[in-house]
Amino acid sequence: MMNDPSAATALGMLIAPLSPAEFFEHYYERKFHRSPVKHSQTSGLLTLDRIDEIISDSELPPSAISMAKSGQSLPADEYTFSNGVVDRGAVLDNFRDGATIILPQLQFADGKLYNFCLALERQFGARVQTNVYLTPPEAHGFGVHYDNHDVFVIQLSGAKEWEIYGDREALPFRGEGFRKGQDDTGELKENFVLEAGECLYVPRGTSHRAPNHGTEPSLHITVGILVQTWAEFMLEAVAEASLRIPEMRRSLPRDLFFDRSKAQSDHAAMFRQLADDIAEKASFDATLAAFSGNFIRAQGPRVRGALRALANGIGMEDRLTVRDHILFSFEGGDGDRQIVLAGSSIPMSDRLAEQLDERIGQGSLAKADFDVDDAEELGDVIDSLVAYGLLVAKPK
């Protein structure tokens, strides 16, 4: 059972028998990899019984489920009521009639999947999400297509017959979806059956199709790696540099679109001047700080156990540990220190920040470990770090 995977364990299962170095050097963003190893622990991530429980007993807003059949998405009104509420009976009836049940971003509703995603985020430096597909026998959800993000496929039960086609000439951007009838899928390169316990990596831009195989329903998880590109980083660098280039804030010339001769001289010269200014004043460190802070803040909080700990109260001697896979950073200078983590920025005094940084680096702490003048600030900051999921208290 994969209850609390380490980053190495999570990635290792997906790419076995490759090492991380082999995977990132030879396969990542380049070519697909089918792992020949069958992993029994995949069944610990999600089961058919858990899917049954989610569909029958969980709150299901319209965005929590979708369906597809014979290569096409089903209209939402075929499995929802007129007010948008999911019609659970219609979902199951459509499944019985050959439609695939899709549970997008199920990690936000399932703790095991969420922890698995958090473990992978540190490996890829990118947001990670899951989409779950339950396909009835002798059916397929989608036709030949490519995804605009890299994916790992974890086959949990049943089997899928995979067809791998050619690659695009360049990696697609995130918003650059496959256009049926317009985009070339290339020639069929590989055909194989992915069985329960096996994993597959498919880079973005690699066309594929995966009809069901055999007489059992197929349950698989698609793990999406939502990378940020150098193009996005450079756009942020331009935006950040423009704060120090006043000319960047001026409106475009009124005759830019209408006076072609001037556009080739004066306006082109201004463009080159601004490009030179950006090259001179763009800051890698400032851009990195902005990207890093946004990445940390966007990570969903993991707060299991925090309510009980706060309800019981956290005493001076209570030992707290750092929760696995939670991202954070200390930011600011003298007199303006804060710790940034999912959903929050918590300010604190310089003295507390210095000691807290050291204690967190050691992996565990108690309030009694700190030598500070303001005990009220200490208690408030430590309790807030429990509330936002960075620190975990042992059950009393």
Side-chain angles (χ1 to χ4, degrees), residues 14 40 155 231 281 302 339:
L14 295 174
S40 59
Q155 191 69 36
K281 297 183 179 180
R302 189 79 181 106
I339 184 171

Side-chain angles (χ1 to χ4, degrees), residues 114-136:
Y114 193 58
N115 212 39
F116 185 74
C117 288
L118 293 183
L120 291 173
E121 287 185 350
R122 187 171 293 275
Q123 291 281 353
F124 286 91
R127 291 274 81 85
V128 176
Q129 68 177 27
T130 64
N131 290 335
V132 174
Y133 298 83
L134 178 61
T135 304

Side-chain angles (χ1 to χ4, degrees), residues 211 301 318-319 387:
D318 291 340
R319 182 68 37 187

Side-chain angles (χ1 to χ4, degrees), residues 125-368:
R127 291 274 81 85
V128 176
Q129 68 177 27
T130 64
N131 290 335
V132 174
Y133 298 83
L134 178 61
T135 304
E138 301 180 358
H140 69 276
F142 295 101
V144 181
H145 68 285
Y146 61 72
D147 296 309
N148 57 21
H149 56 274
D150 296 62
V151 299
F152 287 96
V153 176
I154 306 172
Q155 191 69 36
L156 300 179
S157 60
K160 281 287 186 76
E161 183 175 349
W162 276 81
E163 301 169 357
I164 303 292
Y165 293 82
D167 303 323
R168 280 174 45 114
E169 292 184 0
L171 295 169
F173 285 110
R174 188 182 304 175
E176 195 177 355
F178 177 78
R179 298 168 299 175
K180 185 176 180 180
Q182 299 183 52
D183 291 329
D184 182 16
T185 60
E187 299 294 326
L188 179 64
K189 294 165 57 177
E190 294 280 349
N191 181 259
F192 53 85
V193 174
L194 196 70
E195 299 181 341
E198 294 183 336
C199 302
L200 172 69
Y201 166 71
V202 183
R204 60 191 186 278
T206 297
S207 298
H208 56 274
R209 189 174 83 100
N212 206 356
H213 179 83
T215 58
E216 296 181 37
S218 165
L219 176 61
H220 81 264
I221 303 171
T222 294
V223 180
I225 314 298
L226 309 182
V227 301
Q228 296 184 90
T229 64
W230 275 111
E232 293 167 282
F233 194 89
M234 296 306 293
L235 288 171
E236 178 66 29
V238 170
E240 193 279 329
S242 69
L243 299 176
R244 298 182 300 281
I245 307 173
E247 292 81 3
M248 289 282 287
R249 303 178 216 177
R250 295 186 180 277
S251 62
L252 290 173
R254 291 177 290 117
D255 60 354
L256 177 64
F257 310 118
F258 310 110
D259 188 339
R260 301 298 297 176
S261 61
K262 194 173 182 181
Q264 297 299 322
S265 56
D266 296 357
H267 303 330
M270 175 58 76
F271 175 84
R272 288 190 293 271
Q273 179 60 53
L274 291 174
D276 290 342
D277 290 344
I278 291 168
E280 178 184 350
K281 297 183 179 180
S283 168
F284 174 79
D285 291 337
T287 306
L288 178 61
F291 257 62
S292 176
N294 291 338
F295 183 66
I296 290 171
R297 289 182 179 90
Q299 184 184 59
R302 189 79 181 106
V303 297
R304 184 68 180 268
L307 179 61
R308 181 178 294 278
L310 294 170
N312 291 336
I314 300 170
M316 292 295 295
E317 302 293 336
D318 291 340
R319 182 68 37 187
L320 307 172
T321 58
V322 179
R323 192 185 298 270
D324 288 338
H325 316 314
I326 297 298
L327 302 177
F328 66 93
S329 67
F330 285 89
E331 297 185 2
D334 292 344
D336 187 33
R337 297 296 302 277
Q338 61 180 347
I339 184 171
V340 176
L341 65 163
S344 181
S345 300
I346 301 173
M348 65 192 72
S349 64
D350 295 343
R351 185 173 181 180
L352 177 54
E354 181 180 352
Q355 295 182 44
L356 182 61
D357 193 359
E358 180 181 357
R359 300 291 187 277
I360 288 178
Q362 295 170 352
S364 72
L365 57 87
K367 294 178 182 178

Side-chain angles (χ1 to χ4, degrees), residues 34-94:
R34 178 194 177 192
S35 173
V37 181
K38 288 190 176 181
H39 302 274
S40 59
Q41 65 263 43
T42 58
S43 60
L45 286 172
L46 190 67
T47 64
L48 188 59
D49 285 342
R50 175 65 176 138
I51 299 297
D52 183 40
E53 178 185 27
I54 290 169
I55 293 174
S56 61
D57 298 334
S58 300
E59 180 182 3
L60 286 176
S63 61
I65 192 167
S66 61
M67 304 195 76
K69 183 179 179 182
S70 302
Q72 300 289 335
S73 296
L74 283 186
D77 58 12
E78 292 196 20
Y79 54 90
T80 60
F81 294 111
S82 58
N83 61 359
V85 175
V86 173
D87 183 345
R88 300 167 198 262
V91 169
L92 299 178
D93 201 34
N94 277 297

